[in-house]
């Protein structure tokens, strides 16, 4: 028994010496520049998943013989992350490590602490089959607890963490660029660059009224960008309660944007549109200007920054978001619901058949789901609801946001069919459909002549009537040339004698 324990202790001592030798070899290999011909340099952003490859000496080697070592610098001992192809569960990051079928070491969701030197070995030899130097680029508000949504400006810190023996980063290797790719040097509109110190660089940022503001930190070696990280400021978002508006096809819709009282210009307003069919967001208005699109000619902003859509159609239904920047972000969602009523199928001609089908549909935002049951109603011109089957109609009920009504043609100009969308006890929108009857346009020559004679006779009658009226109006009543006077009740007549020029009275 003692001899066996002695044999085991000797074996453990030998394995411990081998591990120490391997650690020393790793330190020596990484310390001298001339021995780095087989190194692989990897650059990644914080949060990436990384694959560190190991060059197998032959295809016959099994991953059960692979060991992975890790070191942050040459002054500390290397750590064994993988032994005999299995992740060392004592490692604090064991849950993020894995070995694939190629014996590569996979690190998920890397952090700055994962930067350093990695070496792999097959079998029990003293040489390494792969050395990988992993550098990690991070970008975040500085100090770490800073909240860019609360202050007028804040500081961004960009750091490249790498194997310490590589030394500081070359001068001007860490650059700041904006969303257009322009380098941010010194001080400019909305920023002040702090320059580079070692492998760190800072930039002071002022809150900008723009949803597209983005800051990018790049690590450049020579003329090559090895890695870059992006940061988009997260502004405080105030979202107003969603507004639902209802319109008929062909209407002009006005979508209101709620603005704080301090906001005066529409140049800080963006409008986004999410279609009824899918959730892809389209940029309709940027900086107060309508963007190029198939319906740009029907869009405009008024003085209140409201979006006006002329002659709306089913394709215009959906969710519209007004995004306003004014020291923060103010979002207003407007859900445009559009009702249409038309013969079904669309090519049907209600003038040719004895009956036809009307389809009423309500198009709205996809996220709102189907219309509530019994929310689409048919009524006639008297306001009476059309249910089931009756004189001149047959209702098929409602399916989702559609309702059909089969109508028999009736020779009545007052016949009107109305579709209503009712929510609770409130009618939100209604559309009307009066059937169109075909008028006969077949004219024979005799019919044309008779119609011409009737029109001519009518014109003559009107002319004669007007002439009679004018003639009667031109005749004046005859003057009474007899002068009547009464004295003592005896009438005295004075006759105007045409031969005398005057009369003398005594």
């Amino acid at each position: 028994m003692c001899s066996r324990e002695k044999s085991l202790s000797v074996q453990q001592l030998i394995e411990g010496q081998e591990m120490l030798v391997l650690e020393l070899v790793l330190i020596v290999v990484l310390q001298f520049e001339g021995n780095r011909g087989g190194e692989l340099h990897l650059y990644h952003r914080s949060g990436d998943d990384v694959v560190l490859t190991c060059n197998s000496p032959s295809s016959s080697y099994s991953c059960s013989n692979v060991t992975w070592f890790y070191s942050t610098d040459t002054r500390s001992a290397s750590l064994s992350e993988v032994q005999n192809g299995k992740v060392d569960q004592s490692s604090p990051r064991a849950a993020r490590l894995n070995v694939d079928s190629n014996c590569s070491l996979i690190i998920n969701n890397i952090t700055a602490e994962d930067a350093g030197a990695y070496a792999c070995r097959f079998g029990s030899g003293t040489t390494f089959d792969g050395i990988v130097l992993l550098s990690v680029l991070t970008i975040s508000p500085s100090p770490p607890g800073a909240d860019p949504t609360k202050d007028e400006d804040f500081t961004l810190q960009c750091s490249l963490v790498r194997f310490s023996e590589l030394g500081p980063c070359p001068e001007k290797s860490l650059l700041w660029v904006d969303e257009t790719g322009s380098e941010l040097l010194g001080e400019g509109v909305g920023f002040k660059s702090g320059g580079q110190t070692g492998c760190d660089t800072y930039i002071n940022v002022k809150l900008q009224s723009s949803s597209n503001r983005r800051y990018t930190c790049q690590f450049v070696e020579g003329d090559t960008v090895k890695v870059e990280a992006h940061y988009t400021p997260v502004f405080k978002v105030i979202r107003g309660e969603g507004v639902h508006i209802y319109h008929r096809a062909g209407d002009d819709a006005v979508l209101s944007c709620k603005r704080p009282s301090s906001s005066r210009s529409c140049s800080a307003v963006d409008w986004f549109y999410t279609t009824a069919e899918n959730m892809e967001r389209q940029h309709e208005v940027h900086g107060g200007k309508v963007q190029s699109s198939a319906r740009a000619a029907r869009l405009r902003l008024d003085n209140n920054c409201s979006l006006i859509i002329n002659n709306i159609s089913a394709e215009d239904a959906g969710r519209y978001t007004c995004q306003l920047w004014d020291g923060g972000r103010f979002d207003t969602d407007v859900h445009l619901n559009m009702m249409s009523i038309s013969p079904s199928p669309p090519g049907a001609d209600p003038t040719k058949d004895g009956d036809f089908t009307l389809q009423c549909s309500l198009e709205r935002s996809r996220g709102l789901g189907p219309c509530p049951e019994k929310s689409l109603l048919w009524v006639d011109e008297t306001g009476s609801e059309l249910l089931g089957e009756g004189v001149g109609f047959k209702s098929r009920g409602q399916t989702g946001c559609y309702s059909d009504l089969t109508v028999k043609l009736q020779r009545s100009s007052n016949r009107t069919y109305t579709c209503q969308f009712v929510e609770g006890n409130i009618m939100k929108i209604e559309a009307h459909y009066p059937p169109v009857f075909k008028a006969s346009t077949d004219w024979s020559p005799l019919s044309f002549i008779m119609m011409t004679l009737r029109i001519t006779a009518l014109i003559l009658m009107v002319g004669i009537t007007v002439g009679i009226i004018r003639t009667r109006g031109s005749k004046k009543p005859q003057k009474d040339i007899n002068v009547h006077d009464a004295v003592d009740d005896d009438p005295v007549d004075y006759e105007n004698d045409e031969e005398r020029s005057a009369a003398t009275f005594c």
Side-chain angles (χ1 to χ4, degrees):
M1 179 66 69
C2 294
S3 60
R4 182 177 180 184
E5 291 179 352
K6 184 177 181 180
S7 175
L8 288 174
S9 62
V10 171
Q11 183 177 356
Q12 291 174 352
L13 178 62
I14 293 174
E15 290 179 352
Q17 289 176 344
E18 288 181 351
M19 185 64 68
L20 179 60
V21 169
L22 287 172
E23 291 178 358
L24 292 174
V25 171
L26 175 59
I27 292 173
V28 171
V29 168
L30 295 175
Q31 189 172 9
F32 296 100
E33 193 73 30
N35 291 329
R36 292 185 180 167
E39 293 174 0
L40 174 63
H41 290 255
L42 290 182
Y43 299 88
H44 279 274
R45 291 177 293 268
S46 176
D48 287 352
D49 295 335
V50 179
V51 178
L52 310 179
T53 57
C54 184
N55 299 319
S56 174
S58 69
S59 58
S60 62
Y61 271 80
S62 170
C63 290
S64 61
N65 295 323
V66 72
T67 303
W68 276 96
F69 299 94
Y70 165 65
S71 178
T72 57
D73 56 56
T74 58
R75 292 180 297 277
S76 62
S78 60
L79 303 175
S80 176
E81 299 286 359
V82 174
Q83 293 184 15
N84 299 323
K86 295 182 179 180
V87 174
D88 185 353
Q89 296 302 312
S90 64
S91 172
R93 53 182 178 168
R96 295 189 292 113
L97 302 180
N98 191 20
V99 177
D100 67 9
S101 58
N102 295 322
C103 309
S104 299
L105 178 62
I106 300 175
I107 311 176
N108 298 115
N109 191 25
I110 65 170
T111 65
E113 288 73 22
D114 295 320
Y118 294 80
C120 69
R121 182 202 71 182
F122 281 94
S124 57
T126 58
T127 59
F128 293 103
D129 297 290
I131 297 175
V132 182
L133 302 182
L134 175 62
S135 299
V136 180
L137 187 68
T138 64
I139 180 173
S140 61
S142 177
D147 185 355
T149 68
K150 292 184 177 180
D151 301 320
E152 186 176 354
D153 51 22
F154 60 99
T155 300
L156 290 177
Q157 178 182 12
C158 176
S159 302
L160 185 73
V161 184
R162 57 183 186 167
F163 186 59
S164 63
E165 299 304 318
L166 295 176
C169 298
E171 187 178 359
K172 297 181 180 180
S173 60
L174 288 173
L175 310 177
W176 287 100
V177 298
D178 62 14
E179 62 277 355
T180 67
S182 302
E183 187 175 356
L184 303 176
L185 294 170
E187 186 172 1
V189 178
F191 75 91
K192 183 179 180 181
S193 177
Q196 177 183 343
T197 303
C199 286
D200 297 287
T201 182
Y202 298 86
I203 188 171
N204 293 320
V205 177
K206 294 184 181 295
L207 289 178
Q208 299 288 309
S209 297
S210 170
S211 58
N212 294 326
R213 189 89 262 196
R214 187 179 71 174
Y215 302 92
T216 299
C217 179
Q218 298 177 337
F219 174 69
V220 179
E221 199 170 56
D223 295 328
T224 305
V225 177
K226 294 295 185 179
V227 65
E228 64 181 14
H230 311 287
Y231 186 88
T232 300
V234 180
F235 299 96
K236 184 178 181 181
V237 178
I238 301 176
R239 182 174 292 277
E241 185 178 353
V243 178
H244 292 259
I245 62 174
Y246 299 84
H247 281 279
R248 288 176 290 269
D251 287 352
D252 294 338
V254 179
L255 285 59
S256 299
C257 180
K258 293 184 178 180
R259 302 185 298 159
S261 57
S262 60
S263 179
R264 298 181 180 179
S265 173
C266 294
S267 61
V269 169
D270 286 6
W271 275 96
F272 298 91
Y273 168 56
T274 305
T275 66
E277 289 77 18
N278 56 64
M279 300 307 291
E280 182 181 356
R281 196 164 80 155
Q282 302 174 15
H283 210 158
E284 297 290 351
V285 174
H286 175 57
K289 296 182 179 179
V290 175
Q291 301 298 287
S292 177
S293 68
R295 56 179 183 166
R298 297 189 292 114
L299 304 179
R300 64 184 177 90
L301 286 187
D302 65 10
N303 294 332
N304 295 320
C305 308
S306 299
L307 179 63
I308 300 177
I309 310 175
N310 298 118
N311 191 25
I312 65 170
S313 63
E315 290 72 21
D316 296 319
R319 185 183 71 201
Y320 294 79
T321 301
C322 175
Q323 200 170 89
L324 170 66
W325 296 87
D326 186 30
R329 207 177 85 187
F330 298 83
D331 285 3
T332 302
D333 286 337
V334 181
H335 299 273
L336 175 59
N337 303 270
M338 197 222 67
M339 175 176 277
S340 62
I341 181 172
S342 60
S344 178
D349 185 354
T351 67
K352 291 184 178 180
D353 301 320
D355 52 22
F356 64 99
T357 299
L358 292 176
Q359 183 179 71
C360 175
S361 60
L362 185 73
E363 300 289 342
R364 58 182 190 166
S365 297
R366 181 181 180 184
L368 298 178
C371 299
E373 188 178 358
K374 297 182 180 179
S375 60
L376 288 174
L377 311 177
W378 287 98
V379 298
D380 61 14
E381 62 279 355
T382 68
S384 302
E385 187 175 355
L386 303 177
L387 294 171
E389 186 171 2
V391 178
F393 75 90
K394 182 179 181 181
S395 176
R396 295 185 182 179
Q398 177 184 343
T399 303
C401 286
Y402 297 90
S403 181
D404 292 334
L405 181 73
T406 300
V407 177
K408 294 182 181 298
L409 286 179
Q410 297 186 20
R411 301 295 174 178
S412 172
S413 59
N414 295 325
R415 189 89 254 198
T416 301
Y417 302 96
T418 299
C419 179
Q420 298 177 340
F421 175 69
V422 179
E423 199 169 49
N425 294 322
I426 301 175
M427 184 187 66
K428 297 294 185 178
I429 185 72
E430 65 179 8
H432 311 286
Y433 188 90
V436 179
F437 297 98
K438 186 177 180 181
S440 176
T441 56
D442 297 329
W443 291 85
S444 64
L446 180 60
S447 298
F448 183 78
I449 293 172
M450 293 300 295
M451 179 59 70
T452 303
L453 291 175
R454 288 174 183 171
I455 294 173
T456 304
L458 179 61
I459 294 173
L460 289 175
M461 289 176 64
V462 171
I464 293 171
T465 302
V466 172
I468 293 172
I469 293 172
R470 288 182 176 178
T471 301
R472 289 181 176 178
S474 63
K475 289 185 178 181
K476 296 182 180 179
Q478 190 174 5
K479 289 184 178 181
D480 189 358
I481 59 174
N482 294 324
V483 179
H484 303 277
D485 196 2
V487 179
D488 296 332
D489 297 330
D490 293 328
V492 179
D493 292 342
Y494 297 94
E495 187 177 9
N496 186 11
D497 191 352
E498 293 180 359
E499 295 181 357
R500 287 183 284 179
S501 61
T504 302
F505 300 93
C506 298

